[in-house]
Amino acid sequence: MTDHPDQTYIAILGAALAQANLNALILAENGTHQLGRPHPAHPGYRIWNGNLCRIGHHDKGAFVLEVNAILPGRMYADMAHHQHARLTNDGTWTRCTATADGAIPITLAITQTRDQEADRG
């Protein structure tokens, strides 16, 4: 007999959590409860709460450059953040901690509108 406890239960819990997070990733881009909406001209980019995001953690500096190339001239992004989001029971997405059940990683660009008056001055 071994002195080590059976680790099967922990392995099963880990596999269930991994599957739940994988299911959340699939739901984020497919089905009726997607995270935001797809950007019409740029696959892989999503519009969520007025900001552009991508599912997964991407290089923040490069992401800001990519977003600025996509945004119309009156808008810009000056920073990006790594966040996590999860699908709530009512079918909406909300920010959460990385350890929350069903948490998916996202890179979120904070978009702003240029001050038109300052640009003219």
Side-chain angles (χ1 to χ4, degrees), residues 30-45:
N30 302 285
T32 57
H33 299 295
Q34 296 183 29
L35 175 66
R37 66 185 194 282
H39 191 286
H42 298 279
Y45 289 83

Side-chain angles (χ1 to χ4, degrees), residues 69-86:
I70 293 171
L71 290 172
R74 70 182 191 286
M75 298 180 77
Y76 69 99
D78 61 350
M79 67 177 69
H81 299 285
H82 288 155
Q83 301 271 329
H84 289 84
R86 67 176 180 84

Side-chain angles (χ1 to χ4, degrees), residues 35 48 53-58 81-85 95 104-108:
L35 175 66
W48 185 45
C53 69
R54 284 187 70 187
I55 295 173
H57 284 168
H58 302 276
H81 299 285
H82 288 155
Q83 301 271 329
H84 289 84
R95 290 184 183 143
I104 62 162
I106 59 172
T107 304
L108 183 68

